[in-house]
Amino acid sequence: MKMMGKMKEVQARIKEAQDNLVNVTATGESGGGMVKATANGKRQLIALEIDPALLKGDDKIVLQDLVVAAVNKAMEDVEIQAREELRKKTEGLLPNIPGLDLGGMMG
């Protein structure tokens, strides 16, 4: 019965961590900061800033590349932060099992 109680606690802590991922954010930049993308731990793009100087040119492809690079950087960084947040919330509840990946629990 003790094991069931432990599992319920683990489930509750994981749910809490998943719910909190919306508050974990990271910003990726490209073009020397001319494009900034911010994503949250739920892997949602929540902000995109583009320097007005980039909008004056006719080089649509450069702008597209900069946006993609900034978004990809933000997504990479927020995934690392989200994994760390999940690890902290479940620390001590789960045994240290080599190869155990909690990444699929990130929402």
Side-chain angles (χ1 to χ4, degrees):
M1 203 57 169
K2 201 173 188 181
M3 181 67 128
M4 291 301 287
K6 186 76 161 173
M7 286 306 296
K8 285 188 185 293
E9 183 182 356
V10 168
Q11 288 175 329
R13 292 280 276 292
I14 289 173
K15 171 113 176 64
E16 177 187 343
Q18 288 173 332
D19 292 345
N20 190 49
L21 290 179
V22 74
N23 299 316
V24 176
T25 63
T27 300
E29 297 184 7
S30 64
M34 295 182 81
V35 175
K36 296 177 184 177
T38 302
N40 68 23
K42 294 274 191 178
R43 297 185 185 117
Q44 299 167 324
L45 183 65
I46 58 173
L48 180 64
E49 298 174 39
I50 300 173
D51 188 301
L54 287 173
L55 301 176
K56 293 178 183 168
D58 289 334
D59 202 347
K60 179 178 150 185
I61 293 173
V62 169
L63 178 58
Q64 290 171 332
D65 288 345
L66 291 173
V67 168
V68 168
V71 169
N72 285 339
K73 178 67 174 140
M75 293 297 183
E76 288 173 19
D77 291 351
V78 82
E79 183 172 348
I80 291 166
Q81 290 180 24
R83 284 180 189 270
E84 180 62 20
E85 180 72 17
L86 188 59
R87 186 194 63 75
K88 282 192 284 190
K89 292 284 186 185
T90 59
E91 198 167 45
L93 293 177
L94 296 173
N96 186 13
I97 302 171
L100 178 64
D101 183 11
L102 299 178
M105 297 181 186
M106 291 194 315

